[in-house]
Amino acid sequence: MAGICCGVVGDAENPATIEPTSSRPLARRSLDLLPLKYIADMAVPPPEGSRKRQKLDLSASPARECENAVESSKSNSSKLKEELNIKKESTNHEASSSSEVPTLISKEKNEVVEECPKYGVTSVCGRRRDMEDAVSVRPSFCQVQNGTNTNDQNDVPFHFFGVYDGHGCSHVATMCKERLHGIVKDEIGKSQENFEWKSAMEKSFTRMDDEVQSWSHSNQTSTCRCELQTPHCDAVGSTAVVAVVTPEKIVVSNCGDSRAVLCRNGVAIPLSSDHKPDRPDELLRVQNAGGRVIYWDGPRVLGVLAMSRAIGDNYLKPYVISEPEVTVTDRSEADECLILASDGLWDVVSNDTACGVARMCLKAQKLPSPPGSPGRDVAADGSDKACSDASILLTKLALARHSSDNVSVVVVDLRRDQRQQQS
């Protein structure tokens, strides 16, 4: 794995050879001084409405953090331990890596479709004092057929992936993790006719923002740091980049400076645009609302917030809004993977480099074989391992490039199953 990482550290298209230097042990020791908290391949709830037996131990908390929670493959675990001095995550990885891949058979086309694409998740506290990122992975969070929400076993499953980068404290990001996928599901179910993804996602983000405001002004209490210091604090918010993956489309909604990037046929295609205060259209919007963008360690709304859109941040409204930008992309046979990450990655790693890391990990593994064929179980596990390796390598690369923020990465394998071609 170390060889893979060295091959993609540079932004150039052709990987450059990294010469060993005497400063490498010193850099490693400097990282060891900082407590790094990892959550890798975090357990997720079973697909809603799924009839298949899940291997997830529901007694374990899916959002549990521990100081050293990177889980890697057997062949590479010793190298990862030496580089970051961490132990294996105790969370059971079988929740997201099952030897029996659930499938859905379409009655009309008589084709086999994966119920949930393989994915890998890594979340790192990094050099920050607190972990304020949150990640949500909800396989088959919504079952849809002909535009309606039903419980038919042959309904088409939608899959939800979200990365939330909190600021001020973690409770808004945590609320988004727990609630936003349910709100999106509800909005999809409400739209019986003339369904539009843009409208549904905008309403979902507005409802999420309203819930955050209501909670902030209620008498409810929490044990997070900001509530202990300042009750009912309004100076807390979170970015949100979410992707709903269907058999035919990738729907990305972004609010803030987290980002979604699609790797298609070796080309990095951004599916979202960062909401930075100095982005020309965002700067004009803030000024028209009566606000100002002040350069204080970079452009900030009123000299405070380094993004122009976010969920929460009630004290900065109407300058900071929760309205997302929505893109709907048709899936292609050339699609390789989807990367969602907080700005802790994108501040120091380019889109092209991130896709290069993910592609090299995916190419190291074979695509899943048809059911019943020799070696199918190994291939199924390998696909998930590749996504896990990619997410881990990307976080390690961000730390090596001195990212000072929390880093959260989700890598989703979008490669089409080749069963039809092999049959």
Side-chain angles (χ1 to χ4, degrees), residues 44-231:
V44 297
E48 299 181 16
S50 174
R51 288 175 167 80
K52 293 191 177 290
R53 179 174 62 86
Q54 298 296 320
K55 296 183 179 180
L56 176 62
D57 182 6
L58 296 179
S59 62
S61 172
R64 179 178 57 191
E65 293 184 7
C66 67
E67 290 187 5
N68 36 34
V70 173
E71 175 165 352
S72 61
S73 64
K74 294 180 180 179
S75 61
N76 296 319
S77 60
S78 59
K79 293 182 181 179
L80 289 175
K81 289 179 183 177
E82 292 175 359
E83 293 183 355
L84 292 176
N85 294 326
I86 56 178
K87 301 176 183 178
K88 286 187 176 181
E89 165 64 57
S90 58
T91 305
N92 190 344
H93 180 59
E94 291 185 3
S96 60
S97 177
S98 172
S99 59
E100 182 181 359
V101 181
T103 57
L104 176 73
I105 301 178
S106 172
K107 293 181 179 180
E108 297 180 357
K109 299 182 181 180
N110 193 28
E111 61 184 10
V112 179
V113 182
E114 285 189 4
E115 185 170 327
C116 181
K118 295 293 185 178
Y119 60 88
V121 179
T122 304
S123 193
V124 190
C125 183
R127 294 173 174 82
R128 287 294 180 92
R129 180 180 64 175
D130 299 312
M131 183 61 176
E132 296 178 336
D133 283 5
V135 178
S136 178
V137 176
R138 304 284 174 168
S140 301
F141 84 108
C142 185
Q143 303 280 342
V144 177
Q145 184 175 33
N146 296 326
T148 60
N149 223 6
T150 69
N151 293 320
D152 193 322
Q153 188 175 8
N154 290 321
D155 289 342
V156 176
F158 291 176
H159 315 293
F160 184 96
F161 304 90
V163 172
Y164 311 104
D165 183 1
H167 46 265
C169 195
S170 60
H171 70 255
V172 174
T174 301
M175 290 180 65
C176 291
K177 171 185 176 179
E178 295 174 349
R179 287 285 300 133
L180 187 52
H181 68 280
I183 295 175
V184 172
K185 177 181 178 180
D186 186 46
E187 288 296 331
I188 293 175
K190 286 181 180 179
S191 304
Q192 301 292 332
E193 297 179 359
N194 300 323
F195 176 77
E196 291 184 359
W197 277 110
K198 185 176 186 298
S199 175
M201 299 307 294
E202 288 176 350
K203 291 178 181 177
S204 299
F205 275 61
T206 299
R207 286 178 56 184
M208 186 71 248
D209 188 63
D210 291 341
E211 287 193 14
V212 170
Q213 292 189 53
S214 298
W215 182 90
S216 178
H217 294 94
S218 68
N219 293 325
Q220 301 180 34
T221 59
S222 69
T223 58
C224 60
R225 175 172 52 85
C226 73
E227 288 299 322
L228 293 176
Q229 295 178 353
T230 309

Side-chain angles (χ1 to χ4, degrees), residues 141 152 170 189 214 238 246 258 267 274 326 369-370 375 401 421:
F141 84 108
D152 193 322
S170 60
S214 298
S238 175
T246 78
S258 296
V267 178
D274 300 351
V326 183
S369 304
R401 293 188 173 185
Q421 299 179 9

Side-chain angles (χ1 to χ4, degrees), residues 323-345:
E323 179 182 346
E325 288 185 314
V326 183
T327 61
V328 181
T329 306
D330 292 330
R331 293 185 62 176
S332 166
E333 295 295 333
D335 291 348
E336 294 171 279
C337 65
L338 175 68
I339 304 173
L340 297 110
S342 58
D343 66 328
L345 174 73

